[in-house]
Amino acid sequence: MARALAAAAAAVALFVAALLLLASTTLATAAAAPTTTSGIPAVFAFGDSTLDPGNNNGLQATLVRADHAPYGCGFPGAAATGRFSDGKLITDYIVESLGVKGLLPAYRDRGLTLAEASTGVSFASGGSGLDDLTAQTAMVYTFGSQIGDFQDLLGKIGMPKAAEIANTSLYVVSAGTNDVTMNYFILPLRTVSFPTIDQYSDYLIGRLQGYLQSLYNLGARNFMVSGLPPVGCLPVTRSLNLASGGGCVADQNAAAERYNAALQQMLTKLEAASPGATLAYVDVYTPLMDMVTQPQKYGERQQIDKLRYGRSIEQLLTQIFAACVAGFTETRQGCCGNGLLAMGALCTSELPQCRSPAQFMFFDSVHPTQATYKALADHIVQSHITKS
């Protein structure tokens, strides 16, 4: 009898051990598997102010900062995080759509943890570009230094986890607009070295190719690279070109289109020469031009439950009216100021402000509103993520 009980106890012990082994294997498999709905563990962003959620906040010397009101007036808690908009950026919507997290933080956020950084951050710096002169003039971080920050992050994460994250993450790149608009059209700093805009564009695309190659060498494989927007339709461009009669500047838009065509050719060739890499061209020019020509199709309906109570009856009625209006009502002028150089440190609460940023295509003289970013993000997710 005792021998039978001992045998039974041994069998039970073996069964429990098998269950524990199975559980540990299952947990290990679950820990190794992607936890996001898309299978993409992290998103890393590089470029300029359209992707900068606050990396410039600690740069005291630069004017290209958005850590003050009225920036962030539509962000949760009305916080001026350093995002150059009234609310979220396009990358915030992308990481949310991918199921990675709710917002893409700045790498230089002092409260950022390594665990949070491992699921994606933005290294982008407002005022930066593909040309180092652009960043140096604005006194911000160069594109090369952004890649250096990414390399430092991989070192902190450590191998082999860093290699796995690098290989499977999504890389969003958006730069070149500051180079073309500021260095060539507004402040002709590069016209001597490059007599034509197409020559300068070739130089910029060559620089971008080198940066993408550097990221590839660090393990990056999945890229989304944005082309130029219709730079001739930016509020600052319209304001500085009185000859256009307040309309878009056609020759600048044409230059952006030629740049984008050359960029697509470069990405196709680089992808063919980079085993395992996908370099998707993201067309922002076409949807932004559609917003300019057909503004009634865009904009956000403001929800009644988001109204800011405690204001005057007039302001409350204005918000209720805005909640019933669909489509942009203003595409020429930014919500902050009158469109003329009202950006960064020059966009302040002392300037005239629109009452409903959701009805504006631009928040300041250069940067889109949250509503515009949301529309672009929806387009990108549908075109490049949902179909993949």
Side-chain angles (χ1 to χ4, degrees):
M1 182 69 177
R3 187 176 297 176
L5 289 173
V12 171
L14 286 173
F15 179 69
V16 171
L19 285 178
L20 290 174
L21 178 62
L22 177 62
S24 63
T25 303
T26 302
L27 289 173
T29 302
T35 58
T36 64
T37 57
S38 62
I40 296 174
V43 175
F44 298 105
F46 302 82
D48 56 29
S49 54
T50 56
L51 303 181
D52 181 4
N55 284 307
N56 283 7
N57 291 357
L59 298 178
Q60 300 300 321
T62 185
L63 294 177
V64 191
R65 289 170 53 176
D67 53 344
H68 59 274
Y71 291 110
C73 59
F75 198 79
T81 60
R83 289 168 170 83
F84 291 81
S85 183
D86 56 310
K88 297 180 180 179
L89 301 180
I90 193 168
T91 38
D92 295 320
Y93 290 114
I94 288 176
V95 294
E96 182 180 13
S97 297
L98 291 173
V100 177
K101 48 189 171 183
L103 299 168
L104 190 68
Y107 179 66
R108 295 182 179 274
D109 184 338
R110 294 181 179 179
L112 184 73
T113 64
L114 183 59
E116 178 73 5
S118 298
T119 59
V121 288
S122 173
F123 301 95
S125 178
S128 189
L130 300 170
D131 185 347
D132 283 352
L133 178 61
T134 306
Q136 291 164 1
T137 301
M139 293 183 284
V140 298
Y141 301 109
T142 64
F143 203 111
S145 69
Q146 295 175 36
I147 295 178
D149 286 342
F150 174 60
Q151 190 169 10
D152 288 342
L153 174 60
L154 293 180
K156 293 175 182 177
I157 295 173
M159 295 298 180
K161 184 178 179 181
E164 180 184 355
I165 291 175
N167 289 162
T168 55
S169 296
L170 174 64
Y171 296 80
V172 181
V173 178
S174 178
T177 301
N178 290 327
D179 303 303
V180 170
T181 56
M182 298 305 298
N183 274 4
Y184 211 89
F185 291 133
I186 295 178
L187 299 173
L189 302 176
R190 282 301 199 182
T191 55
V192 174
S193 301
F194 304 95
T196 70
I197 183 60
D198 292 337
Q199 290 174 333
Y200 188 46
S201 294
D202 289 341
Y203 169 75
L204 296 174
I205 292 172
R207 298 273 298 180
L208 176 57
Q209 180 175 340
Y211 291 137
L212 295 175
Q213 185 66 58
S214 295
L215 288 170
Y216 179 83
N217 293 341
L218 291 172
R221 293 295 182 268
N222 188 15
F223 296 87
M224 290 200 309
V225 183
S226 172
L228 294 185
V231 295
C233 295
L234 298 176
V236 64
T237 302
R238 293 175 184 261
S239 299
L240 293 174
N241 289 269
L242 299 178
S244 68
C248 297
V249 182
D251 61 338
Q252 294 190 17
N253 280 348
E257 290 187 274
R258 294 194 301 273
Y259 176 100
N260 290 340
L263 172 60
Q264 291 178 70
Q265 293 178 359
M266 181 274 283
L267 292 176
T268 299
K269 292 179 180 178
L270 184 58
E271 181 177 281
S274 306
T278 299
L279 291 101
Y281 167 75
V282 177
D283 177 17
V284 296
Y285 186 99
T286 301
L288 287 172
M289 276 303 296
D290 194 50
M291 293 180 199
V292 171
T293 57
Q294 302 186 77
Q296 71 279 358
K297 293 168 52 180
Y298 300 90
E300 293 180 339
R301 291 182 179 274
Q302 297 189 12
Q303 301 299 318
I304 298 296
D305 59 0
K306 292 183 180 179
L307 298 180
R308 299 178 182 177
Y309 297 101
R311 293 188 171 191
S312 67
I313 295 298
E314 179 185 0
Q315 290 173 320
L316 186 59
L317 290 175
T318 298
Q319 292 180 72
I320 294 174
F321 175 75
C324 302
V325 177
F328 290 137
T329 59
E330 179 59 68
T331 62
R332 295 169 175 255
Q333 181 175 309
C335 176
C336 178
N338 59 6
L340 184 61
L341 297 179
M343 58 167 289
L346 302 179
C347 171
T348 67
S349 299
E350 283 69 39
L351 293 177
Q353 307 292 322
C354 71
R355 293 184 175 181
S356 178
Q359 305 304 314
F360 275 59
M361 181 175 173
F362 293 96
F363 186 70
D364 60 19
S365 60
V366 174
H367 304 102
T369 57
Q370 175 176 249
T372 301
Y373 281 130
K374 178 64 166 61
L376 284 174
D378 289 345
H379 171 75
I380 291 171
V381 169
Q382 182 179 6
S383 302
H384 297 280
I385 297 176
T386 305
K387 292 183 179 180
S388 61

